Amino acid sequence: MKDQIMAPDTVAADIVVSGRGVGKTFADGSVVALKNADFGIKRGSFVSLVGPSGCGKSTLLRLVSGLIAPSSGAVTVHGTPVTGPRRDISMMFQKATLLEWRTALDNVLLPTEIAGTPTQADRNRAMDLLKLVGLGDFAFSFPAQLSGGMQQRVALARLLQTGADILLLDEPFGALDEFTRERLNTELMRIVAEVGATTLFVTHNISEAIFLADQVFVMTSRPGQVAKIVDVDLDRPRPLSIQTSPAFNALVADVRETLGAV
Amino acid sequence: MTNATLANDARILDRIIRFVPHVVLLGLLIGAWELGARTGLITSIMIPRPSAIGGAIVKLYVTEGTIWRHFFVTLTEAVVGFAIGASVAIGLAVASSLSEVFKRYVIPYAIVLNVTPGIALTPVVIAWFGYGMGSKMALAAILCFFPIFVNTLTGLVQVDEDREDLFTSLGASRAQIFAKLRVPSALPLMFAGLKIGLTTALIGAVVAEFAQATDGVGVLMSRFSFQLDMASSIATLLSMTVIGLMLFYTMEFLDDRIVFWRRESRRAAASRAAARTWSGQAGK
Ligand SMILES: Nc1ncnc2c1ncn2[C@@H]1O[C@H](COP(=O)(O)OP(=O)(O)O)[C@@H](O)[C@H]1O
Ligand SMILES: [Mg+2]
């Protein structure tokens, strides 16, 4: 099992995010959230992180984002160890986490406002991003006037407004209904391809993980670890119907087996 | 535009129509009271007839106008006391939200102040600040402190963790998290505290007047009661209700405008304003 983890065919220079022996414990070491994770994410690739609830997916994402520090090992981004939040990484959460006193546009502008004073160019960019996520007509609406799916679109625009080339998404559409989620997933694929970002996407839905990704990191729990890395060699763009193809089902079986085997 | 005006007219008419039953009910109650007093069912010495109260109101507020000086004294005491109490409460709440240590040392005093019946401080406050308006303002400030302090602190501290993570991941400084996240998140609760505080500040001012004072509606009312002029006493009481309503609705108005994002009509207005600002900027 160990040899599958090392992904030997990757060229080191192409890896933008890597983890070596990354571990994280909570509550003075009594909770092992993540144990000895090794992984590398290629520039511009889409990686899904799939695993049962509580296996340490969010923990891994927060380690990469610099929100928390590892108990052992190190996460490296663009060749430098992650020691805290950084501008080349941007994160999105399951909850839209919009500020309800700001319009959609002003919510998208928040990252720019935190980094400095927004210029007209920044505002135009925010407006363009809202159009990109299909909310051009709702730029001046407040979060309470938007549906759950629309709120997540605003959060997606805000994620892109940072200009970061590494995007971390923690079950971003997990609270939405099936139809909305599928549509947003399809759009997410289109958008990250368009901006050329490297994406780490957390989900507990196996089909969704495979459908979106170039690679799936399969995580198992107790203790949380990256048990297997599955390459998804399916052509893009992928229609929704690809999910019934034999190749897709073989990948689902592979992931399922790993999840069930431990 | 015409449609908006029509809708507006319809809304006003709707409100008037809904108002009617209240007026009718109040009229019936007052009528029954008047009838009871006239037929001797209610002793009119202790409980004056509505018509007698009406006469007292006309005398106090219009023909003699003696109440106005007292009215403004009490209003000033309540408002100034409230402003002092609210400033201290918000200041300490902000400091407590910024420093764990500060909070640990402030909270015990706040709790002691809260469990001690504030009204029982009246004699002490009068001894310290004298018979004038100072002691009334002091009691008003003390009584309004706690609800404002607790609500503001709770609002500042209870911030959604995911939002805090968002700000942290965006590299926000503590000052930015405070100004852009904590303060706006705290506003709804802070206003809830301010509304309670305004009411308790008025209680403080009036209670201190009852105890010892030369001016204010509290003094006037106890003087009338002492003279068994119950009609004037109740007419004076009404002025406290008016002060209370004025203060409450002022705060309600501010709450509605400042915490605008809770009401759809306000959100819609803010939304339109933002769109106008955008077109203005884009034109440049
Ligand atoms: N701040 C924390 N304190 C204590 N335990 C935590 C903390 N964060 C996560 N954990 C524990 O670590 C494990 C992994 O959590 P998490 O990464 O959130 O899982 P997932 O996102 O896969 O559902 C869980 O057992 C969780 O209870
Ligand atoms: Mg999680």
Side-chain angles (χ1 to χ4, degrees):
Chain A
M1 193 144 266
K2 199 81 190 155
D3 49 349
Q4 288 167 315
I5 293 166
M6 296 314 269
D9 59 334
T10 52
V11 184
D14 239 22
I15 302 289
V16 288
V17 181
S18 68
R20 288 292 164 260
V22 182
K24 181 68 185 176
T25 57
F26 289 110
D28 295 328
S30 60
V31 178
V32 182
L34 193 67
K35 195 184 167 190
N36 207 24
D38 287 302
F39 57 90
I41 301 175
K42 275 186 267 185
R43 185 184 308 279
S45 69
F46 195 118
V47 170
S48 289
L49 204 54
V50 70
S53 187
C55 71
K57 303 184 294 294
S58 297
T59 302
L60 182 58
L61 216 66
R62 290 162 65 84
L63 284 165
V64 174
S65 74
L67 278 175
I68 53 174
S71 312
S72 61
V75 178
T76 309
V77 169
H78 286 311
T80 55
V82 175
T83 53
R86 38 196 286 168
R87 295 247 182 275
D88 48 5
I89 299 179
S90 186
M91 189 161 174
M92 177 168 168
F93 307 85
Q94 178 164 5
K95 282 198 272 170
T97 61
L98 300 182
L99 307 178
E100 62 260 44
W101 50 88
R102 283 172 177 255
T103 60
L105 185 69
D106 285 343
N107 267 289
V108 176
L109 268 172
L110 182 72
T112 321
E113 241 177 71
I114 285 173
T117 310
T119 61
Q120 188 57 43
D122 293 323
R123 281 191 278 272
N124 291 340
R125 177 178 157 75
M127 186 57 105
D128 289 343
L129 286 170
L130 278 173
K131 287 175 186 155
L132 182 71
V133 298
L135 285 184
D137 292 339
F138 294 88
F140 308 110
S141 297
F142 287 88
Q145 300 170 311
L146 303 173
S147 70
M150 290 159 99
Q151 292 187 22
Q152 283 299 20
R153 285 169 191 265
V154 177
L156 184 58
R158 181 180 62 193
L159 177 84
L160 300 171
Q161 173 77 6
T162 60
D165 61 343
I166 297 168
L167 308 179
L168 310 176
L169 299 97
D170 194 351
E171 306 194 31
F173 311 131
L176 304 177
D177 65 89
E178 187 80 25
F179 299 104
T180 312
R181 199 172 71 212
E182 277 196 346
R183 209 169 58 234
L184 285 177
N185 278 339
T186 310
E187 285 184 42
L188 177 68
M189 277 203 295
R190 171 180 66 83
I191 289 168
V192 296
E194 205 171 310
V195 300
T198 306
T199 310
L200 186 54
F201 182 96
V202 168
T203 176
H204 53 243
N205 183 317
I206 298 173
S207 303
E208 180 179 82
I210 297 167
F211 178 65
L212 294 170
D214 300 311
Q215 273 190 323
V216 178
F217 292 3
V218 186
M219 292 186 65
T220 53
S221 43
R222 269 175 278 276
Q225 53 194 140
V226 181
K228 188 173 183 180
I229 294 176
V230 175
D231 287 311
V232 182
D233 294 317
L234 300 171
D235 291 339
R236 289 181 189 272
R238 297 170 185 167
L240 282 172
S241 59
I242 203 171
Q243 299 187 54
T244 52
S245 72
F248 192 92
N249 284 322
L251 289 165
V252 171
D254 191 4
V255 173
R256 242 182 233 297
E257 192 189 345
T258 310
L259 288 172
V262 182
Chain B
M1 199 69 215
T2 336
N3 267 342
T5 319
L6 275 179
N8 214 26
D9 286 351
R11 231 182 4 249
I12 291 169
L13 194 69
D14 205 50
R15 276 166 83 163
I16 292 172
I17 290 169
R18 254 185 297 168
F19 204 62
V20 169
H22 291 284
V23 176
V24 171
L25 177 64
L26 188 65
L28 284 175
L29 287 174
I30 293 176
W33 179 2
E34 183 77 33
L35 203 71
R38 283 184 189 274
T39 53
L41 234 60
I42 303 169
T43 11
S44 37
I45 306 262
M46 286 306 147
I47 305 166
R49 297 201 299 255
S51 53
I53 297 172
I57 288 174
V58 170
K59 193 179 80 182
L60 282 173
Y61 292 78
V62 186
T63 51
E64 292 183 5
T66 37
I67 200 161
W68 293 112
R69 187 167 56 91
H70 299 281
F71 183 93
F72 287 112
V73 164
T74 304
L75 181 64
T76 308
E77 289 164 352
V79 169
V80 174
F82 169 78
I84 295 168
S87 307
V88 175
I90 292 173
L92 288 180
V94 166
S96 304
S97 78
L98 294 175
S99 157
E100 265 312 305
V101 179
F102 191 84
K103 184 164 92 186
R104 205 161 44 233
Y105 286 97
V106 164
I107 290 218
Y109 293 96
I111 290 175
V112 165
L113 181 67
N114 183 44
V115 297
T116 311
I119 290 170
L121 291 172
T122 314
V124 184
V125 166
I126 288 177
W128 284 347
F129 296 96
Y131 295 165
M133 290 168 79
S135 54
K136 285 64 188 183
M137 291 172 185
L139 197 64
I142 290 170
L143 287 195
C144 76
F145 170 82
F146 194 76
I148 301 173
F149 173 75
V150 166
N151 279 282
T152 307
L153 180 57
T154 308
L156 287 170
V157 173
Q158 273 185 355
V159 168
D160 181 51
E161 276 182 29
D162 284 349
R163 287 185 187 175
E164 235 179 319
D165 278 351
L166 169 78
F167 272 75
T168 311
S169 76
L170 290 171
S173 65
R174 277 189 58 147
Q176 285 175 323
I177 293 182
F178 183 77
K180 292 181 193 291
L181 179 63
R182 289 191 186 277
V183 169
S185 308
L187 284 178
L189 262 181
M190 190 183 90
F191 269 103
L194 287 173
K195 276 188 247 178
I196 302 170
L198 251 188
T199 312
T200 52
L202 180 57
I203 293 175
V206 171
V207 165
E209 284 176 0
F210 280 154
Q212 192 66 262
T214 49
D215 300 293
V217 286
V219 189
L220 202 60
M221 194 179 160
S222 36
R223 204 177 291 156
F224 286 133
S225 299
F226 205 69
Q227 297 162 355
L228 282 182
D229 182 357
M230 297 318 281
S232 300
S233 183
I234 289 177
T236 311
L237 174 68
L238 275 178
S239 70
M240 299 182 193
T241 310
V242 170
I243 294 176
L245 285 174
M246 275 169 53
L247 295 180
F248 183 80
Y249 279 108
T250 305
M251 195 48 75
E252 188 83 350
F253 177 82
L254 290 176
D255 185 18
D256 194 51
R257 299 298 148 124
I258 295 173
V259 195
F260 66 89
W261 56 90
R262 277 171 314 179
R263 267 200 21 212
E264 183 48 38
S265 57
R266 292 266 162 265
R267 282 195 298 258
S271 191
R272 283 193 299 273
R276 271 198 303 277
T277 311
W278 175 266
S279 350
Q281 280 167 345
K284 274 181 202 156

